[in-house]
Amino acid sequence: MANLLEFRDPIRARALADALARATGDVGREVSLMHVCGSHEQAIAKFGLRSAFPRRLNVIMGPGCPVCITDQPEIDEAVVLAQQGARIATYGDMVRVPGTAGSLADAQARGATIDTVYSIAQAIDLARETTDEVVFFATGFETTAVATAAVILAGVPKNFSILSAHKYIPPVMEIVAEMPDTRVEGFLAAGHAATITGWGIFEPFVARHQLPVVVAGFEPLDILAALLKLVELVRDRAPAVVNMFPRCVTREGNRNAQRQLWQVFRPIGGRWRGIAHIPNGNLRLRDEWAAVDARRRFTIDLASLWRHAPSTLARQCICGNIMAGIASPADCPLFGGACVPDSPVGACMVSSEGTCRIWHQYGGVPNLGDVTCPI
Amino acid sequence: MCLGVPGLVVEVDDLSAVVDFWGVRRRVRLDLVDEPVATGDYVLNHVGFAIRRIPPEDVKLTLEMYEQLLKEADRNDLMAADVRGEIGGSAKPEGRR
Ligand code: SF4
């Protein structure tokens, strides 16, 4: 296991943290950086990295939790389809996320059939075993959207269709960069999404906004090293894309997967829960695939649900501000009290990639001293 | 949902493969990888699909990272739970080794 020390070595961690402090000091003011990946937040919280960050470095989790940014009306569509008798298959966390008037779990309690799957391939197997209409509620970013695309291209059973709530990350970075009160000066991009898209996709973004992007892996030292790189780029006013995860990420990415993605999906504008309308942020099926598009196959009567107002508690949820980087779970009066993983009020407390859930699990901003240096 | 998990290809047929994840065998689809995959290769998998053939020189380090993650994690660890989810549910089980 000698090699692991490369990722966990406490001496290198200390050296990186010191370099990070120096670089941030050189900038001479507060620096805010954003990452857009639940797994990055998991690693930052789990290893207590925040307490190793210099005081003037602010690392914000942006809209990187696919469950959290699925909008209420999208969940409502799935709930209505379930109530109309379709069998809904979806990824685990989606079942508990509240829509306008309830979650899929609520629909299930009222008699609807909901199946949790780890892969869309399992949903296809389900459809083969039944004559019921099976609708796959397809959520997640490009990493799961490519799987949906592959399944559609390979051909699906007649009783199978897709309700796409897939989202595409690059456009939301544009929105965050353009927010008038944004403080974000650089982005940490998720290694595995970039495995698909390639790091080259960030070049136009960097050129447009003059903000650096660093592609990072998920080990503590990966993240520290990538943040150091970002701060250096901010300090030197040298916006660029830097790939710090070359083991997994190439400039072109996975061309085969990209080709399938765009053969099946087209980007359209749509709301990301709590954040904003994101131009080109949603992935919808192209016209050629109308036959497997649940939105065109069924009439989905959402109006029936919208007579119910969201609960008073839900109206206090600030997930949106957290994902936009202008608040943290500590700013939410419900955090850890009325809102906990067992009875979540907002989507950010449901998903293992949601900021509130992660902070709750690992104790908010835990102390680095106890956890970073186990070796 | 965005971590992925590495596994060893033990059998390939056309568009899918049987992949061994630390003793758990799953059928994984090969539609998305962008280079040919053969028995003995390691692939990075996500939601039941191989998304990348791991270059041989990177295999050891990649496996060690995940082993460490799984080994030191308690039941409540979110990252490890996501990885176990990927292993546990990639597709239909193909039996244990
Ligand atoms: S703690 Fe709960 S209610 Fe508050 S922002 Fe997070 S998810 Fe929303």
Side-chain angles (χ1 to χ4, degrees):
Chain A
M1 285 258 155
N3 277 331
L4 252 181
L5 294 174
E6 285 181 30
F7 295 101
R8 298 281 172 92
D9 177 14
I11 296 168
R12 288 192 58 209
R14 201 65 270 160
L16 279 171
D18 289 347
L20 188 57
R22 276 195 304 276
T24 310
D26 292 346
V27 178
R29 55 180 161 76
E30 187 163 299
V31 180
S32 292
L33 306 174
M34 178 176 272
H35 70 77
V36 274
C37 171
S39 302
H40 276 154
E41 186 62 26
Q42 288 173 349
I44 288 170
K46 169 176 167 170
F47 296 103
L49 295 183
R50 274 209 175 75
S51 53
F53 297 161
R55 211 172 28 83
R56 295 171 96 181
L57 176 66
N58 196 2
V59 179
I60 300 161
M61 171 162 180
C65 161
V67 173
C68 309
I69 47 84
T70 304
D71 205 14
Q72 281 101 324
E74 293 173 313
I75 292 169
D76 292 345
E77 286 177 297
V79 168
V80 168
L81 279 171
Q83 287 175 351
Q84 290 173 357
R87 208 165 150 170
I88 304 289
T90 192
Y91 297 119
D93 287 336
M94 289 316 302
V95 174
R96 293 170 63 222
V97 181
T100 311
S103 63
L104 282 169
D106 297 329
Q108 191 171 26
R110 290 193 297 266
T113 310
I114 315 289
D115 295 282
T116 307
V117 294
Y118 280 104
S119 169
I120 186 173
Q122 289 175 313
I124 296 277
D125 291 341
L126 267 174
R128 293 220 164 91
E129 288 157 14
T130 175
T131 51
D132 296 346
E133 282 288 338
V134 173
V135 177
F136 183 69
F137 183 29
T139 59
F141 299 122
E142 42 273 34
T143 40
T144 49
V146 290
T148 306
V151 156
I152 290 178
L153 287 169
V156 300
K158 278 202 163 52
N159 59 335
F160 184 88
S161 57
I162 302 279
L163 177 65
S164 171
H166 282 306
K167 304 273 187 283
Y168 189 52
I169 288 263
V172 80
M173 290 170 56
E174 306 271 348
I175 294 298
V176 170
E178 282 163 15
M179 280 180 181
D181 49 354
T182 195
R183 296 166 293 153
V184 175
E185 292 184 75
F187 284 89
L188 206 66
H192 287 93
T195 303
I196 305 278
T197 59
W199 59 262
I201 195 166
F202 300 115
E203 286 183 321
F205 171 85
V206 169
R208 247 194 314 275
H209 299 286
Q210 298 294 302
L211 294 173
V213 174
V214 172
V215 179
F218 301 94
E219 281 289 312
L221 294 193
D222 283 338
I223 292 176
L224 280 174
L227 288 172
L228 172 60
K229 188 52 155 182
L230 263 182
V231 173
E232 287 172 353
L233 293 170
V234 170
R235 179 195 65 195
D236 302 342
R237 295 176 209 279
V241 188
V242 176
N243 178 18
M244 305 271 288
F245 201 37
R247 281 189 301 110
C248 277
V249 179
T250 60
R251 184 192 188 120
E252 304 73 42
N254 182 335
R255 285 237 174 94
N256 178 32
Q258 290 165 30
R259 185 180 47 74
Q260 295 183 50
L261 180 69
W262 298 121
Q263 216 175 323
V264 168
F265 291 104
R266 69 191 163 89
I268 68 162
R271 278 199 67 80
W272 286 33
R273 183 176 193 139
I275 299 184
H277 178 96
I278 310 291
N280 294 325
N282 284 2
L283 298 175
R284 291 289 185 268
L285 296 183
R286 291 184 176 280
D287 292 341
E288 301 90 289
W289 311 105
V292 295
D293 187 345
R295 289 195 177 87
R296 300 192 231 196
R297 182 136 137 187
F298 305 102
T299 309
I300 308 177
D301 173 24
L302 286 184
S304 62
L305 282 183
W306 288 353
R307 285 195 294 274
H308 308 269
S311 77
T312 15
L313 273 187
R315 271 186 272 138
Q316 295 178 50
C317 173
I318 57 164
C319 272
N321 286 349
I322 293 172
M323 290 186 287
I326 51 182
S328 87
D331 300 318
C332 177
L334 307 183
F335 178 70
C339 183
V340 289
D342 283 340
S343 55
V345 173
C348 302
M349 189 59 92
V350 175
S351 168
S352 62
E353 294 179 78
T355 313
C356 296
R357 172 87 187 279
I358 295 169
W359 282 41
H360 192 268
Q361 192 92 357
Y362 295 111
V365 188
N367 186 357
L368 172 80
D370 311 336
V371 265
T372 312
C373 309
I375 311 171
Chain B
M1 274 206 274
C2 92
L3 212 51
V5 54
L8 171 67
V9 177
V10 291
E11 199 184 302
V12 178
D13 64 60
D14 204 15
L15 266 186
S16 74
V18 176
V19 175
D20 184 298
F21 301 95
W22 292 280
V24 181
R25 292 188 173 195
R26 299 273 159 186
R27 189 160 285 280
V28 163
R29 289 180 53 158
L30 299 176
D31 317 41
L32 294 173
V33 279
D34 55 356
E35 49 187 331
V37 166
T39 306
D41 284 344
Y42 277 84
V43 283
L44 186 69
N45 304 279
H46 184 57
V47 293
F49 287 75
I51 55 171
R52 175 179 157 81
R53 176 178 168 271
I54 304 172
E57 63 274 19
D58 293 335
V59 165
K60 188 162 172 280
L61 216 52
T62 307
L63 290 180
E64 282 173 356
M65 272 177 49
Y66 281 85
E67 275 160 19
Q68 183 71 14
L69 171 68
L70 292 168
K71 192 177 80 195
E72 69 193 16
D74 67 26
R75 264 191 22 255
N76 294 321
D77 188 90
L78 296 175
M79 262 181 131
D82 281 358
V83 170
R84 283 195 200 101
E86 289 267 359
I87 297 172
S90 303
K92 272 193 174 161
E94 294 286 322
R96 287 189 71 93
R97 189 166 55 184

PDB file of all heavy atoms in Angstrom, chain A residues 211-236:
ATOM      1  N   LEU A 211     -11.941  33.152 -15.727  1.00  0.00           N
ATOM      2  CA  LEU A 211     -11.867  32.475 -14.434  1.00  0.00           C
ATOM      3  C   LEU A 211     -11.192  31.119 -14.641  1.00  0.00           C
ATOM      4  O   LEU A 211     -11.501  30.417 -15.599  1.00  0.00           O
ATOM      5  CB  LEU A 211     -13.268  32.236 -13.869  1.00  0.00           C
ATOM      6  CG  LEU A 211     -14.117  33.451 -13.484  1.00  0.00           C
ATOM      7  CD1 LEU A 211     -15.517  33.022 -13.104  1.00  0.00           C
ATOM      8  CD2 LEU A 211     -13.459  34.208 -12.343  1.00  0.00           C
ATOM      9  N   PRO A 212     -10.261  30.748 -13.756  1.00  0.00           N
ATOM     10  CA  PRO A 212      -9.577  29.461 -13.918  1.00  0.00           C
ATOM     11  C   PRO A 212     -10.452  28.260 -13.530  1.00  0.00           C
ATOM     12  O   PRO A 212     -11.338  28.387 -12.683  1.00  0.00           O
ATOM     13  CB  PRO A 212      -8.382  29.576 -12.966  1.00  0.00           C
ATOM     14  CG  PRO A 212      -8.812  30.562 -11.938  1.00  0.00           C
ATOM     15  CD  PRO A 212      -9.764  31.514 -12.603  1.00  0.00           C
ATOM     16  N   VAL A 213     -10.171  27.129 -14.173  1.00  0.00           N
ATOM     17  CA  VAL A 213     -10.849  25.867 -13.860  1.00  0.00           C
ATOM     18  C   VAL A 213      -9.773  24.801 -13.666  1.00  0.00           C
ATOM     19  O   VAL A 213      -8.874  24.672 -14.499  1.00  0.00           O
ATOM     20  CB  VAL A 213     -11.787  25.427 -15.014  1.00  0.00           C
ATOM     21  CG1 VAL A 213     -12.373  24.047 -14.732  1.00  0.00           C
ATOM     22  CG2 VAL A 213     -12.902  26.445 -15.233  1.00  0.00           C
ATOM     23  N   VAL A 214      -9.835  24.061 -12.560  1.00  0.00           N
ATOM     24  CA  VAL A 214      -8.891  22.968 -12.344  1.00  0.00           C
ATOM     25  C   VAL A 214      -9.676  21.668 -12.163  1.00  0.00           C
ATOM     26  O   VAL A 214     -10.602  21.601 -11.353  1.00  0.00           O
ATOM     27  CB  VAL A 214      -7.991  23.238 -11.112  1.00  0.00           C
ATOM     28  CG1 VAL A 214      -7.151  22.014 -10.773  1.00  0.00           C
ATOM     29  CG2 VAL A 214      -7.087  24.447 -11.368  1.00  0.00           C
ATOM     30  N   VAL A 215      -9.317  20.653 -12.949  1.00  0.00           N
ATOM     31  CA  VAL A 215      -9.978  19.351 -12.844  1.00  0.00           C
ATOM     32  C   VAL A 215      -9.279  18.553 -11.745  1.00  0.00           C
ATOM     33  O   VAL A 215      -8.055  18.429 -11.756  1.00  0.00           O
ATOM     34  CB  VAL A 215      -9.899  18.579 -14.179  1.00  0.00           C
ATOM     35  CG1 VAL A 215     -10.570  17.214 -14.040  1.00  0.00           C
ATOM     36  CG2 VAL A 215     -10.548  19.385 -15.297  1.00  0.00           C
ATOM     37  N   ALA A 216     -10.060  18.038 -10.790  1.00  0.00           N
ATOM     38  CA  ALA A 216      -9.456  17.410  -9.619  1.00  0.00           C
ATOM     39  C   ALA A 216     -10.014  16.024  -9.335  1.00  0.00           C
ATOM     40  O   ALA A 216     -11.175  15.743  -9.610  1.00  0.00           O
ATOM     41  CB  ALA A 216      -9.691  18.301  -8.394  1.00  0.00           C
ATOM     42  N   GLY A 217      -9.179  15.178  -8.747  1.00  0.00           N
ATOM     43  CA  GLY A 217      -9.609  13.875  -8.250  1.00  0.00           C
ATOM     44  C   GLY A 217     -10.227  14.011  -6.870  1.00  0.00           C
ATOM     45  O   GLY A 217     -10.565  15.117  -6.440  1.00  0.00           O
ATOM     46  N   PHE A 218     -10.342  12.888  -6.150  1.00  0.00           N
ATOM     47  CA  PHE A 218     -11.173  12.880  -4.946  1.00  0.00           C
ATOM     48  C   PHE A 218     -10.442  12.544  -3.658  1.00  0.00           C
ATOM     49  O   PHE A 218     -11.042  12.430  -2.610  1.00  0.00           O
ATOM     50  CB  PHE A 218     -12.335  11.912  -5.153  1.00  0.00           C
ATOM     51  CG  PHE A 218     -13.166  12.297  -6.327  1.00  0.00           C
ATOM     52  CD1 PHE A 218     -12.942  11.753  -7.572  1.00  0.00           C
ATOM     53  CD2 PHE A 218     -14.141  13.269  -6.194  1.00  0.00           C
ATOM     54  CE1 PHE A 218     -13.680  12.148  -8.671  1.00  0.00           C
ATOM     55  CE2 PHE A 218     -14.894  13.679  -7.280  1.00  0.00           C
ATOM     56  CZ  PHE A 218     -14.664  13.109  -8.518  1.00  0.00           C
ATOM     57  N   GLU A 219      -9.143  12.336  -3.748  1.00  0.00           N
ATOM     58  CA  GLU A 219      -8.376  12.075  -2.531  1.00  0.00           C
ATOM     59  C   GLU A 219      -8.008  13.409  -1.888  1.00  0.00           C
ATOM     60  O   GLU A 219      -7.914  14.437  -2.578  1.00  0.00           O
ATOM     61  CB  GLU A 219      -7.117  11.282  -2.888  1.00  0.00           C
ATOM     62  CG  GLU A 219      -7.398   9.810  -3.107  1.00  0.00           C
ATOM     63  CD  GLU A 219      -7.715   9.102  -1.799  1.00  0.00           C
ATOM     64  OE1 GLU A 219      -6.967   9.290  -0.834  1.00  0.00           O
ATOM     65  OE2 GLU A 219      -8.711   8.365  -1.757  1.00  0.00           O
ATOM     66  N   PRO A 220      -7.775  13.397  -0.557  1.00  0.00           N
ATOM     67  CA  PRO A 220      -7.471  14.664   0.126  1.00  0.00           C
ATOM     68  C   PRO A 220      -6.345  15.455  -0.538  1.00  0.00           C
ATOM     69  O   PRO A 220      -6.471  16.662  -0.742  1.00  0.00           O
ATOM     70  CB  PRO A 220      -7.054  14.213   1.526  1.00  0.00           C
ATOM     71  CG  PRO A 220      -7.677  12.875   1.716  1.00  0.00           C
ATOM     72  CD  PRO A 220      -7.852  12.263   0.373  1.00  0.00           C
ATOM     73  N   LEU A 221      -5.269  14.742  -0.911  1.00  0.00           N
ATOM     74  CA  LEU A 221      -4.154  15.487  -1.505  1.00  0.00           C
ATOM     75  C   LEU A 221      -4.491  15.965  -2.915  1.00  0.00           C
ATOM     76  O   LEU A 221      -4.020  17.012  -3.344  1.00  0.00           O
ATOM     77  CB  LEU A 221      -2.874  14.644  -1.520  1.00  0.00           C
ATOM     78  CG  LEU A 221      -2.265  14.298  -0.168  1.00  0.00           C
ATOM     79  CD1 LEU A 221      -0.856  13.746  -0.324  1.00  0.00           C
ATOM     80  CD2 LEU A 221      -2.257  15.490   0.773  1.00  0.00           C
ATOM     81  N   ASP A 222      -5.297  15.191  -3.635  1.00  0.00           N
ATOM     82  CA  ASP A 222      -5.776  15.645  -4.958  1.00  0.00           C
ATOM     83  C   ASP A 222      -6.455  16.999  -4.819  1.00  0.00           C
ATOM     84  O   ASP A 222      -6.237  17.922  -5.599  1.00  0.00           O
ATOM     85  CB  ASP A 222      -6.855  14.692  -5.508  1.00  0.00           C
ATOM     86  CG  ASP A 222      -6.281  13.400  -6.079  1.00  0.00           C
ATOM     87  OD1 ASP A 222      -5.089  13.395  -6.438  1.00  0.00           O
ATOM     88  OD2 ASP A 222      -7.033  12.414  -6.176  1.00  0.00           O
ATOM     89  N   ILE A 223      -7.309  17.082  -3.801  1.00  0.00           N
ATOM     90  CA  ILE A 223      -8.124  18.284  -3.640  1.00  0.00           C
ATOM     91  C   ILE A 223      -7.275  19.454  -3.157  1.00  0.00           C
ATOM     92  O   ILE A 223      -7.369  20.564  -3.687  1.00  0.00           O
ATOM     93  CB  ILE A 223      -9.302  17.993  -2.680  1.00  0.00           C
ATOM     94  CG1 ILE A 223     -10.263  17.022  -3.376  1.00  0.00           C
ATOM     95  CG2 ILE A 223     -10.024  19.273  -2.287  1.00  0.00           C
ATOM     96  CD1 ILE A 223     -11.419  16.564  -2.524  1.00  0.00           C
ATOM     97  N   LEU A 224      -6.406  19.187  -2.199  1.00  0.00           N
ATOM     98  CA  LEU A 224      -5.524  20.262  -1.716  1.00  0.00           C
ATOM     99  C   LEU A 224      -4.648  20.796  -2.848  1.00  0.00           C
ATOM    100  O   LEU A 224      -4.498  22.007  -3.025  1.00  0.00           O
ATOM    101  CB  LEU A 224      -4.637  19.750  -0.569  1.00  0.00           C
ATOM    102  CG  LEU A 224      -5.282  19.667   0.810  1.00  0.00           C
ATOM    103  CD1 LEU A 224      -4.320  18.997   1.798  1.00  0.00           C
ATOM    104  CD2 LEU A 224      -5.673  21.057   1.312  1.00  0.00           C
ATOM    105  N   ALA A 225      -4.087  19.865  -3.632  1.00  0.00           N
ATOM    106  CA  ALA A 225      -3.193  20.284  -4.711  1.00  0.00           C
ATOM    107  C   ALA A 225      -3.954  21.092  -5.758  1.00  0.00           C
ATOM    108  O   ALA A 225      -3.458  22.093  -6.282  1.00  0.00           O
ATOM    109  CB  ALA A 225      -2.534  19.062  -5.348  1.00  0.00           C
ATOM    110  N   ALA A 226      -5.175  20.665  -6.040  1.00  0.00           N
ATOM    111  CA  ALA A 226      -5.971  21.368  -7.051  1.00  0.00           C
ATOM    112  C   ALA A 226      -6.365  22.766  -6.561  1.00  0.00           C
ATOM    113  O   ALA A 226      -6.339  23.741  -7.327  1.00  0.00           O
ATOM    114  CB  ALA A 226      -7.213  20.551  -7.396  1.00  0.00           C
ATOM    115  N   LEU A 227      -6.705  22.866  -5.267  1.00  0.00           N
ATOM    116  CA  LEU A 227      -7.059  24.189  -4.726  1.00  0.00           C
ATOM    117  C   LEU A 227      -5.844  25.118  -4.747  1.00  0.00           C
ATOM    118  O   LEU A 227      -5.961  26.301  -5.082  1.00  0.00           O
ATOM    119  CB  LEU A 227      -7.598  24.052  -3.295  1.00  0.00           C
ATOM    120  CG  LEU A 227      -8.993  23.434  -3.185  1.00  0.00           C
ATOM    121  CD1 LEU A 227      -9.332  23.159  -1.724  1.00  0.00           C
ATOM    122  CD2 LEU A 227     -10.047  24.341  -3.813  1.00  0.00           C
ATOM    123  N   LEU A 228      -4.678  24.544  -4.413  1.00  0.00           N
ATOM    124  CA  LEU A 228      -3.460  25.356  -4.458  1.00  0.00           C
ATOM    125  C   LEU A 228      -3.259  25.890  -5.877  1.00  0.00           C
ATOM    126  O   LEU A 228      -2.992  27.082  -6.076  1.00  0.00           O
ATOM    127  CB  LEU A 228      -2.258  24.505  -4.025  1.00  0.00           C
ATOM    128  CG  LEU A 228      -0.883  25.148  -4.210  1.00  0.00           C
ATOM    129  CD1 LEU A 228      -0.778  26.448  -3.400  1.00  0.00           C
ATOM    130  CD2 LEU A 228       0.237  24.183  -3.801  1.00  0.00           C
ATOM    131  N   LYS A 229      -3.431  25.020  -6.853  1.00  0.00           N
ATOM    132  CA  LYS A 229      -3.269  25.429  -8.254  1.00  0.00           C
ATOM    133  C   LYS A 229      -4.242  26.559  -8.585  1.00  0.00           C
ATOM    134  O   LYS A 229      -3.871  27.565  -9.204  1.00  0.00           O
ATOM    135  CB  LYS A 229      -3.503  24.214  -9.163  1.00  0.00           C
ATOM    136  CG  LYS A 229      -3.179  24.460 -10.620  1.00  0.00           C
ATOM    137  CD  LYS A 229      -1.820  25.006 -10.688  1.00  0.00           C
ATOM    138  CE  LYS A 229      -1.011  24.845 -11.907  1.00  0.00           C
ATOM    139  NZ  LYS A 229       0.323  25.396 -11.821  1.00  0.00           N
ATOM    140  N   LEU A 230      -5.482  26.407  -8.142  1.00  0.00           N
ATOM    141  CA  LEU A 230      -6.495  27.429  -8.432  1.00  0.00           C
ATOM    142  C   LEU A 230      -6.119  28.774  -7.820  1.00  0.00           C
ATOM    143  O   LEU A 230      -6.203  29.818  -8.477  1.00  0.00           O
ATOM    144  CB  LEU A 230      -7.855  26.992  -7.866  1.00  0.00           C
ATOM    145  CG  LEU A 230      -8.853  26.324  -8.807  1.00  0.00           C
ATOM    146  CD1 LEU A 230     -10.141  26.010  -8.048  1.00  0.00           C
ATOM    147  CD2 LEU A 230      -9.169  27.201 -10.013  1.00  0.00           C
ATOM    148  N   VAL A 231      -5.694  28.736  -6.555  1.00  0.00           N
ATOM    149  CA  VAL A 231      -5.342  29.998  -5.892  1.00  0.00           C
ATOM    150  C   VAL A 231      -4.148  30.641  -6.592  1.00  0.00           C
ATOM    151  O   VAL A 231      -4.099  31.858  -6.784  1.00  0.00           O
ATOM    152  CB  VAL A 231      -5.057  29.775  -4.387  1.00  0.00           C
ATOM    153  CG1 VAL A 231      -4.520  31.052  -3.751  1.00  0.00           C
ATOM    154  CG2 VAL A 231      -6.322  29.327  -3.671  1.00  0.00           C
ATOM    155  N   GLU A 232      -3.194  29.810  -7.017  1.00  0.00           N
ATOM    156  CA  GLU A 232      -2.041  30.363  -7.742  1.00  0.00           C
ATOM    157  C   GLU A 232      -2.490  31.038  -9.040  1.00  0.00           C
ATOM    158  O   GLU A 232      -1.993  32.105  -9.405  1.00  0.00           O
ATOM    159  CB  GLU A 232      -1.021  29.256  -8.052  1.00  0.00           C
ATOM    160  CG  GLU A 232      -0.256  28.806  -6.817  1.00  0.00           C
ATOM    161  CD  GLU A 232       0.628  27.578  -7.075  1.00  0.00           C
ATOM    162  OE1 GLU A 232       0.545  26.990  -8.193  1.00  0.00           O
ATOM    163  OE2 GLU A 232       1.376  27.199  -6.167  1.00  0.00           O
ATOM    164  N   LEU A 233      -3.445  30.399  -9.721  1.00  0.00           N
ATOM    165  CA  LEU A 233      -3.926  30.984 -10.978  1.00  0.00           C
ATOM    166  C   LEU A 233      -4.656  32.300 -10.719  1.00  0.00           C
ATOM    167  O   LEU A 233      -4.559  33.247 -11.490  1.00  0.00           O
ATOM    168  CB  LEU A 233      -4.845  29.992 -11.714  1.00  0.00           C
ATOM    169  CG  LEU A 233      -4.173  28.714 -12.241  1.00  0.00           C
ATOM    170  CD1 LEU A 233      -5.217  27.708 -12.718  1.00  0.00           C
ATOM    171  CD2 LEU A 233      -3.197  29.038 -13.370  1.00  0.00           C
ATOM    172  N   VAL A 234      -5.392  32.356  -9.590  1.00  0.00           N
ATOM    173  CA  VAL A 234      -6.070  33.598  -9.217  1.00  0.00           C
ATOM    174  C   VAL A 234      -5.020  34.664  -8.896  1.00  0.00           C
ATOM    175  O   VAL A 234      -5.073  35.797  -9.377  1.00  0.00           O
ATOM    176  CB  VAL A 234      -7.003  33.374  -7.999  1.00  0.00           C
ATOM    177  CG1 VAL A 234      -7.514  34.703  -7.443  1.00  0.00           C
ATOM    178  CG2 VAL A 234      -8.174  32.473  -8.382  1.00  0.00           C
ATOM    179  N   ARG A 235      -4.042  34.264  -8.079  1.00  0.00           N
ATOM    180  CA  ARG A 235      -2.982  35.196  -7.670  1.00  0.00           C
ATOM    181  C   ARG A 235      -2.247  35.773  -8.887  1.00  0.00           C
ATOM    182  O   ARG A 235      -2.002  36.967  -8.990  1.00  0.00           O
ATOM    183  CB  ARG A 235      -1.985  34.455  -6.782  1.00  0.00           C
ATOM    184  CG  ARG A 235      -0.811  35.290  -6.291  1.00  0.00           C
ATOM    185  CD  ARG A 235       0.301  34.402  -5.732  1.00  0.00           C
ATOM    186  NE  ARG A 235       0.882  33.556  -6.783  1.00  0.00           N
ATOM    187  CZ  ARG A 235       1.652  32.496  -6.539  1.00  0.00           C
ATOM    188  NH1 ARG A 235       1.924  32.138  -5.296  1.00  0.00           N
ATOM    189  NH2 ARG A 235       2.158  31.786  -7.535  1.00  0.00           N
ATOM    190  N   ASP A 236      -1.945  34.883  -9.842  1.00  0.00           N
ATOM    191  CA  ASP A 236      -1.153  35.317 -10.999  1.00  0.00           C
ATOM    192  C   ASP A 236      -2.016  35.910 -12.116  1.00  0.00           C
ATOM    193  O   ASP A 236      -1.512  36.207 -13.187  1.00  0.00           O
ATOM    194  CB  ASP A 236      -0.349  34.128 -11.553  1.00  0.00           C
ATOM    195  CG  ASP A 236       0.578  33.525 -10.495  1.00  0.00           C
ATOM    196  OD1 ASP A 236       0.837  34.220  -9.488  1.00  0.00           O
ATOM    197  OD2 ASP A 236       1.006  32.369 -10.663  1.00  0.00           O
TER     198      ASP A 236
END
